[in-house]
Amino acid sequence: MRLLLVEDDRLLADGLASQLEKAGFSVDIARTAREARMLGDREDYRVGVLDLGLPDGSGLDVLRRWRANHINFPVLILTARGDWQDKVNGLKAGADDYLAKPFQTEELVARLHAIVRRGEGRVLSSVRAGGFELDENRQTLRVEGGGEYSLTGTEFRLLRCLMSRPGQVFSKEQLMEQLYNLNDNPSDNVIEAYVRRLRKLLGADAIKTRRGQGYLFDDTP
Ligand code: CA
């Protein structure tokens, strides 16, 4: 799941990015308001973390611009502790949640999962489809009447993407976009390789190939 982290504090941004990657997000960092506007317009993010104090402007203006341009991925804003005005302005500008600095990464991750779930109309912290259950917190796959398996970060991200919209065909390009950030340089056949590995766990029928189009998760019995 692609995540845009807008934060000009280099140390905080880099540390946070690696922890968010571990939690199953593919993270791009924007360090200025200009970069944030550009990436938000161009890339297909599922969620954003937005610092308000940026060197070339306010995060609030970035958020207003995104929303005016119908860029609607859920956004959590980072505010200074105790600044209630920031929180109110952030929510009014179209933020979905906020967190005061300093914060625990675990709380940030839980809140990000929560706003993504709300956006997808889910209540539970798992994705269920076709007799399979994906646990977001533990990155495991449970098979109905079978075992439970830990997934690698990439396996988890790929399966999460497919299982969150059963029946929808995802092209290889769309899957690559959700799996990798702008700095990654994966090879062309990486999706095929991961689909093959996932089919060993899920059985041959759960992930269908549509020739020339892509892949879909089939949740019909
Ligand atoms: Ca800042």
Side-chain angles (χ1 to χ4, degrees), residues 54-71:
L54 298 168
D56 57 338
S58 163
L60 280 183
D61 293 330
V62 173
L63 183 57
R64 286 195 195 101
R65 262 279 283 281
W66 283 342
R67 295 316 191 216
N69 291 342
H70 308 288
I71 292 163

Side-chain angles (χ1 to χ4, degrees), residues 7-9 51 53-54 101:
E7 172 61 69
D8 60 320
D9 181 327
D51 177 35
L54 298 168
K101 289 180 185 179

Side-chain angles (χ1 to χ4, degrees), residues 52 77-88 98-103:
L52 295 185
I77 52 171
L78 299 175
T79 68
R81 178 166 294 284
D83 195 340
W84 64 269
Q85 198 69 49
D86 270 0
K87 294 173 195 165
V88 173
Y98 60 84
L99 196 57
K101 289 180 185 179
F103 54 84

